[in-house]
Amino acid sequence: MILLKDAEALDAKDPLASFRTRFALPQNTIYLDGNSLGVLPKGVTERVAGTIAGEWGQDLIASWNKAGWISLPLAVGDMIAPLIGADAGDVVVGDSTSVNLFKCLSAAFAAQSAQPGQNRKVIVSEAENFPTDNYIIQGAAKLLGAEIRYTAPGASPIPLIDGQTAVVLLTHVNYRTAAMYDMAAITKAAHDNGALMIWDLSHSTGAVSLNLKACDVDFAVGCSYKYLNGGPGAPAFTYAPKRIANTLTQPLSGWMGHKNPFAFVLDYEPGDAIKRFLCGTPQVLSLVALQAALALWRDVDMATLRAKSLSLTSLFMDLVAQECGRFGLKIVTPRDPARRGSHVSLRFEHGYQVMRAMADRGVVGDFRAPDLMRFGFTPLYISHAETFEAVQRLKAVLESGAWQDEKYQTRLAVT
């Protein structure tokens, strides 16, 4: 039987415990929703305020040069690069995950079409991608005249990849179940069949160990407001290694992606390597917030972070089985550590009502229709003792039937 003292013993030897003090955590809240919106790191507020008051307020337009605003997309990209196993100069930050997916998918398809004798028209993906991925794929497929093949939930996409496949586009960690694909094996299968590989790392970056270079990945995108704690609506990143980037064209040829944007010439000439994935003017306030948030990652060992993530999620699943097994909850997240991201999802018919009741009791997770309760474990600020307490409050909500209160029956606009 797992007791509170067991969780506290794990915390006593946690090498990441000190990172908790580097976040502005709300009092009396166990925040298990960092996989949707990360907590505010200390120092971000001051950095953004300084940018507004000094760089914008006093230096005005001179700050594009004086404060380095113009180089923020590449500078912040270089801070993300080591977290995903990429080289400096291979990552750029700007726009949203959806927009960046469109850029990469279009660039990959154009590269395949340019190959002599090729007639590749197939995009392989997964029906349970985060919806924006599939919506972007569907929209791009109409423009490109492509066919989409979806793998069934939980099934390997490899049998769908063949000589007709142009691109494989997958979400590395499933947003619903936290099931994680074997990046190296699938990327190799794509390449063995002449296809290009795109990974969405939105539920991976800052949560699991990644090595895009070692896996020979062609493209990747990801958001920065989850485990990277960049703030609501923080800009996303795009990865394309130098070995391929200089050969690519992407259709959103905005002026910041031009080789010389301030020449103001008529015709577009793409910039070097990853710079050609830039589009419009950098979102300066969002970028400086993200830059400040990323500063603490210089002190994080990703192997240690991954080990704690697995420890927290394993403890949570074991406790749910121990304390809540009689209530009909089903754990849908893989038990196998090699196949698991950093959140745990529980299937329950009345999951929405339970999550609202939990929030009123200081445990914040989220819900994914139709019946998944989702709990995210951010290793930098979540403890094992909090994990133990969260399950105790879940048990209390289920045992008391508190979720049946009328106030929890109406769906909120954002759930």
Side-chain angles (χ1 to χ4, degrees):
M1 184 172 184
I2 305 168
L3 303 174
L4 175 59
K5 66 178 182 180
D6 300 316
E8 292 174 335
L10 291 171
D11 288 334
K13 57 183 182 181
D14 174 16
L16 299 177
S18 64
F19 281 92
R20 183 179 174 88
T21 63
R22 298 171 74 168
F23 293 89
L25 289 158
Q27 290 188 344
N28 305 315
T29 298
I30 300 174
Y31 190 70
L32 302 181
D33 206 10
N35 54 315
S36 285
L37 177 65
V39 168
L40 173 68
K42 292 178 180 177
V44 172
T45 301
E46 294 78 6
R47 173 64 195 284
V48 174
T51 300
I52 293 171
E55 296 172 13
W56 178 16
Q58 296 300 313
D59 295 333
L60 293 168
I61 201 166
S63 289
W64 285 105
N65 293 310
K66 184 177 179 181
W69 287 355
I70 198 68
S71 62
L72 280 170
L74 294 169
V76 178
D78 282 349
M79 296 177 78
I80 292 174
L83 306 181
I84 59 175
D87 286 337
D90 286 350
V91 182
V92 70
V93 180
D95 301 317
S96 67
T97 303
S98 301
V99 171
N100 292 339
L101 272 172
F102 180 79
K103 294 175 190 174
C104 290
L105 183 55
S106 300
F109 218 85
Q112 294 286 47
S113 298
Q115 296 295 320
Q118 296 287 343
N119 187 31
R120 295 174 178 268
K121 294 291 185 181
V122 173
I123 301 168
V124 171
S125 197
E126 179 190 7
E128 278 206 347
N129 277 326
F130 188 75
T132 200
D133 295 51
N134 286 336
Y135 301 160
I136 291 294
I137 292 169
Q138 291 161 17
K142 290 178 182 178
L143 292 172
L144 300 168
E147 170 196 344
I148 307 170
R149 295 177 187 166
Y150 295 115
T151 186
S156 170
I158 291 177
L160 298 182
I161 306 170
D162 59 22
Q164 299 302 307
T165 306
V167 183
V168 181
L169 194 165
L170 296 169
T171 304
H172 184 230
V173 171
N174 186 280
Y175 82 103
R176 292 171 61 79
T177 67
M180 184 168 68
Y181 280 123
D182 184 331
M183 179 181 287
I186 295 173
T187 301
K188 183 178 185 301
H191 290 170
D192 286 348
N193 284 278
L196 292 171
M197 187 75 226
I198 304 172
W199 288 101
D200 182 342
L201 306 178
S202 293
H203 283 273
S204 308
T205 309
V208 303
S209 299
L210 296 166
N211 196 329
L212 301 187
K213 186 177 180 181
C215 292
D216 203 25
V217 170
D218 303 304
F219 304 87
V221 300
C223 65
S224 63
Y225 48 78
K226 295 181 177 24
Y227 297 102
L228 297 184
N229 311 296
F237 65 85
T238 303
Y239 163 83
K242 298 176 189 69
R243 64 172 173 80
I244 190 174
N246 279 317
T247 69
L248 299 170
T249 58
Q250 60 93 3
L252 302 184
S253 46
W255 75 305
M256 282 294 167
H258 194 282
K259 193 173 186 69
N260 187 2
F262 292 95
F264 302 113
V265 296
L266 174 62
D267 295 320
Y268 183 79
E269 182 182 357
D272 294 332
I274 194 64
K275 185 181 176 184
R276 65 186 57 196
F277 281 87
L278 285 169
C279 185
T281 303
Q283 306 106 312
V284 172
L285 297 181
S286 292
L287 281 164
V288 298
L290 175 57
Q291 187 178 44
L294 289 169
L296 62 82
W297 287 92
R298 298 188 182 101
D299 303 324
V300 178
D301 177 77
M302 291 304 295
T304 302
L305 180 127
R306 176 61 171 159
K308 184 178 177 183
S309 165
L310 292 174
S311 179
L312 290 168
T313 50
S314 293
L315 176 64
F316 183 79
M317 289 189 284
D318 290 344
L319 285 167
V320 167
Q322 172 182 295
E323 302 292 330
C324 306
R326 68 185 187 276
F327 298 110
L329 304 181
K330 180 182 179 182
I331 299 171
V332 301
T333 297
R335 285 280 192 167
D336 180 359
R339 295 188 56 242
R340 183 169 79 238
S342 201
H343 65 270
V344 175
S345 293
L346 310 177
R347 176 163 285 131
F348 186 60
E349 181 182 1
H350 305 288
Y352 176 79
Q353 291 81 6
V354 171
M355 294 310 293
R356 287 196 58 190
M358 289 281 283
D360 279 353
R361 287 154 181 79
V363 179
V364 179
D366 64 22
F367 173 78
R368 290 294 176 259
D371 56 6
L372 289 183
M373 301 186 292
R374 196 173 68 159
F375 301 86
F377 293 86
T378 305
L380 296 183
Y381 54 77
I382 296 298
S383 69
H384 295 84
E386 284 181 305
T387 302
F388 185 93
E389 178 60 24
V391 177
Q392 297 307 307
R393 295 186 197 181
L394 174 60
K395 177 184 176 182
V397 166
L398 294 167
E399 204 164 44
S400 67
W403 60 268
Q404 299 178 61
D405 192 298
E406 185 178 350
K407 66 182 178 180
Y408 301 133
Q409 308 311 308
T410 303
R411 298 293 178 99
L412 300 176
V414 179
T415 55

